[in-house]
Amino acid sequence: MKLRGVFGLNVQRLRRERKLSQEQLSFVSGRTRAYISSVEAGRRNATLDTVEILAKALNVEPQELVSANPASKRAIRVTKQVAPKSTD
């Protein structure tokens, strides 16, 4: 997937995790709702300034917006707990 698409999906995921509408994110970031929609759909090529602004608005580091494996989506390794064998 192209970086523009990764960026858009990360913005959308983080916005939804924070229970923000596109309108609310647009207000906080100073971008229009239509712009937020275009970014999320991968139709906009955001500038580095916009990456920084949206990261601040979503309270994340900018690299989380452009990472194909964002920290909150990385699988947490769970080790299977095995009961010790009984020696009866």
Side-chain angles (χ1 to χ4, degrees):
M1 178 181 288
K2 290 188 175 191
L3 185 57
R4 185 169 46 192
V6 169
F7 176 71
L9 290 175
N10 285 335
V11 169
Q12 183 180 67
R13 176 183 52 79
L14 290 163
R15 176 182 60 77
R16 288 179 174 172
E17 284 176 4
R18 285 151 180 74
K19 298 184 181 352
L20 295 172
S21 67
Q22 288 179 342
E23 181 95 17
Q24 290 167 319
L25 180 57
S26 72
F27 180 76
V28 173
S29 67
R31 301 298 187 255
T32 66
R33 192 217 45 84
Y35 183 85
I36 300 297
S37 176
S38 294
V39 163
E40 290 182 359
R43 292 188 307 264
R44 279 292 175 135
N45 195 13
T47 65
L48 291 175
D49 289 340
T50 298
V51 172
E52 187 175 35
I53 288 167
L54 290 176
K56 186 174 180 180
L58 293 165
N59 198 30
V60 296
E61 292 297 319
Q63 58 267 28
E64 189 164 344
L65 294 179
V66 296
S67 174
N69 297 311
S72 61
K73 280 189 78 175
R74 288 187 188 130
I76 298 172
R77 190 170 295 212
V78 178
T79 57
K80 185 177 178 181
Q81 297 293 327
V82 179
K85 291 185 180 181
S86 176
T87 56
D88 294 328

